[in-house]
Amino acid sequence: MRSAEKKIEAGDGQTLSAMTPESRGRLGLKPKTLQEIREALHSVVHGRQGTGKAARLDTIELAGKTGTAQVFKMGKKQIKTDSLARHLRDHAWFFAFAPVEDPELAIAVWIELGGGGGGTRAARLAHA
C-alpha cells in the first residue's frame, strides 16, 4: 500500500520537502491514449534507439523523456557544445518515472549549462 505522504529528496537521501498530495482533477485521457504515452516514454529508455537508454536500470522499469534547451543559436554551422564558453552551453534535462504501469517515483535532472544532450548527460545522472 502506498503512503499518503510524498517527499522530495536530494541525491544524498536528505528530505528536502514532505507533503500530502492533493488531487486537482483528471486529465480526461482515454485509457488507450494514456497507454500509448506510457509506451512511448518507456521506449525512450528501453527502445533500441532510445535517447534515454543511459538511465536504464536492471531492477525497475523506467520511462522518461530527454531534452536539450539551446542557450545560444549557432546557425547552420555545427559546433561542439563543449568547445563553447560555459555561459553559451546548452541545458540538458531528463525526467523519468517508475514503475511504468503504476508510478511511485519521479526523477527530474536538470543540468544548467551542462552542454551535451539530456540523453548523454542528464540520463546518466538519473541512472546513478
Side-chain angles (χ1 to χ4, degrees):
M1 183 175 180
R2 288 185 178 181
S3 167
E5 183 178 87
K6 303 296 180 186
K7 61 186 173 178
I8 298 173
E9 293 181 351
D12 63 3
Q14 177 185 357
T15 298
L16 301 176
S17 177
M19 75 288 299
T20 301
E22 176 186 327
S23 177
R24 295 187 177 197
R26 296 182 113 4
L27 292 175
L29 296 175
K30 295 177 183 176
K32 180 181 178 194
T33 302
L34 184 57
Q35 186 60 33
E36 288 172 351
I37 293 169
R38 279 193 175 126
E39 288 172 8
L41 295 175
H42 180 269
S43 72
V44 169
V45 177
H46 295 277
R48 190 170 58 85
Q49 295 179 328
T51 56
K53 58 188 167 193
R56 191 178 301 161
L57 298 168
D58 294 332
T59 56
I60 191 168
E61 288 287 309
L62 191 69
K65 178 69 180 98
T66 62
T68 304
Q70 190 177 35
V71 172
F72 173 72
K73 184 174 181 178
M74 293 182 269
K76 294 180 182 181
K77 186 177 178 185
Q78 292 291 323
I79 301 172
K80 295 249 184 216
T81 192
D82 288 339
S83 68
L84 293 171
R86 179 157 163 64
H87 72 281
L88 298 175
R89 294 181 184 176
D90 296 340
H91 304 307
W93 57 266
F94 179 72
F95 298 102
F97 62 90
V100 177
E101 292 303 324
D102 190 20
E104 294 183 35
L105 173 70
I107 300 168
V109 177
W110 174 268
I111 306 174
E112 185 175 17
L113 303 172
T120 57
R121 303 255 165 118
R124 290 178 199 267
L125 284 178
H127 172 88

